[in-house]
Structures are given as C-alpha cells and as structure tokens.
Amino acid sequence: MANSERQLGELARMEAARRKTQHQLDLIDRQITRRVTALIPLLGRRLPRTLPHQSGTLTAERQPEVDALTRNLAREDATIAAL
C-alpha cells in the first residue's frame, strides 16, 4: 500500500513538472507568435531595417531554451509512460 501511494505521489509530481514545462513552451510560442503577428500588417509596406531583425532575434535567442524544454518534455513523457 505504501509503495503504491509513493508511486502515485511521484506520478503526480512528474505530471506537475510536465505541465510546467509545457506551459513554458507555450509562453515562448505566444511571444514569438505575437511578434510575427505584429509584423503582418507591415508586409505590404516598406519595413524599417530593424523590424525583421528584431523578430528573428527573439526566435534565435530563445531557440536553445526551446530545444532544452522540448528534450525535457520528451524525457518527462517517457518517464510518465514508464510508470
């Protein structure tokens, strides 16, 4: 009984950690989407030189973080599935 309770506790902690990781990825995705969406009305006009660079910079700056979070999410999914 104690063993199954311990496993349920571990599973609950793992699922909470997975939700947190997914939430972080969602936040980054929304930031990038907002930046790109802000550029759409300007597509027909001549863009200032800094605008396209700024949107690409956000993506490039966050890519290592996105990659690490994605790997972490895959590990968390595999661990939860193993339980």
Side-chain angles (χ1 to χ4, degrees):
M1 184 71 161
N3 193 26
S4 64
E5 288 177 11
R6 185 177 63 54
Q7 284 181 331
L8 286 174
E10 287 178 22
L11 180 60
R13 283 189 296 279
M14 287 183 214
E15 289 174 337
R18 189 205 179 284
R19 282 191 302 273
K20 182 179 177 183
T21 303
Q22 184 63 56
H23 178 71
Q24 289 172 317
L25 280 169
D26 292 343
L27 286 175
I28 293 168
D29 185 49
R30 282 196 299 271
Q31 287 175 340
I32 293 169
T33 301
R34 268 189 254 131
R35 180 67 62 96
V36 171
T37 302
L39 291 175
I40 289 173
L42 303 174
L43 289 177
R45 304 178 203 153
R46 183 177 172 147
L47 295 173
R49 289 181 181 247
T50 57
L51 223 46
H53 172 70
Q54 289 171 348
S55 66
T57 300
L58 177 62
T59 305
E61 287 174 353
R62 303 300 296 262
Q63 193 59 52
E65 183 180 3
V66 168
D67 292 343
L69 287 168
T70 302
R71 287 190 304 271
N72 192 27
L73 192 62
R75 281 192 305 272
E76 290 168 345
D77 285 341
T79 303
I80 289 170
L83 287 177

